[in-house]
Amino acid sequence: MVDITGVRLALRELHPDDIDAVLAIYGDEEATRHLSFEPRTREQVEAIVERSIASARVDPRIEYATAVALDGDLIGFARLALDPHSPRGATIGFALRADTWGHGYGVETVHLLAALAFRRLDLHRIWGARAPLNEVSGRTMERAGFTREGTIREHVHVRGAWRDSIVYGLLDHEWKRPTGFPS
């Protein structure tokens, strides 16, 4: 079970009563503008939360779809998925509610995912990708210690067009636990 606390935020398992909070992110045009999908419906979010809860019971577990919580309230959705081609690698992704942007929660979320990867799961490498226009996400990953590695051309098809993805990676020996961050 995932329950990792940072300085202000926590990663925790999703619960059935998180549907409305996830919908506030995944159903929002602004929050999903740079993601690899268009805003989701309530029914789609219900299925995502149900699948995420079910994935927590799979053994061996290959996906960690979690809530990002601030004072117990879900403000984000964070995901770490093990890479089937690299036994000690994973991809990460996250989305925060638009009204929480600008407070450093993205950087802390990435650090929480890194703690899950490197401290709990003993992974060697994690990576994430961003849309070319989402420069804030790039700065977020760089502030969390990631290195920009390159571009996957025409990687995702969203909103009727192909879009590149800019890739960032972090190795276990590169991650530095932030000051005040629990071990």
Side-chain angles (χ1 to χ4, degrees):
M1 297 296 289
V2 174
D3 186 11
I4 301 173
T5 302
V7 176
R8 300 170 295 172
L9 303 178
L11 284 187
R12 65 163 172 79
E13 299 290 353
L14 286 165
H15 306 293
D17 59 352
D18 287 329
I19 292 169
D20 288 333
V22 175
L23 182 61
I25 302 161
Y26 278 8
D28 180 53
E29 181 70 33
E30 180 68 12
T32 59
R33 180 171 36 133
H34 296 298
L35 298 181
S36 60
F37 55 85
E38 295 183 39
R40 305 292 195 189
T41 65
R42 180 174 180 75
E43 292 75 27
Q44 289 171 318
V45 169
E46 286 175 2
I48 290 167
V49 171
E50 289 171 7
R51 188 189 82 236
S52 298
I53 292 169
S55 75
R57 294 188 293 264
V58 172
D59 188 23
R61 189 169 181 179
I62 59 170
E63 179 184 37
Y64 297 81
T66 64
V68 178
L70 173 66
D71 298 325
D73 294 326
L74 187 150
I75 65 161
F77 186 90
R79 183 176 177 268
L80 181 146
L82 298 180
D83 184 341
H85 305 292
S86 175
R88 292 189 55 215
T91 182
I92 66 161
F94 68 96
L96 300 175
R97 210 173 57 219
D99 67 335
T100 66
W101 296 352
H103 299 284
Y105 297 145
V107 174
E108 187 168 347
T109 297
V110 174
H111 277 299
L112 287 166
L113 287 166
L116 172 62
F118 301 136
R119 301 288 188 241
R120 299 272 174 96
L121 302 176
D122 193 32
L123 299 182
H124 173 66
R125 180 184 194 287
I126 57 176
W127 68 276
R130 70 166 173 93
L133 296 177
N134 192 355
E135 294 176 2
V136 171
S137 183
R139 289 192 300 272
T140 295
M141 287 190 275
E142 288 171 352
R143 285 180 57 205
F146 281 67
T147 298
R148 181 176 169 161
E149 296 182 335
T151 300
I152 304 173
R153 298 179 312 135
E154 297 187 6
H155 180 227
V156 295
H157 193 267
V158 63
R159 293 175 172 78
W162 287 103
R163 189 201 78 204
D164 295 349
S165 292
I166 300 174
V167 177
Y168 294 78
L170 181 65
L171 303 177
D172 55 355
H173 57 85
E174 296 171 335
W175 183 61
K176 294 176 179 49
R177 186 173 53 87
T179 304
F181 200 85
S183 50

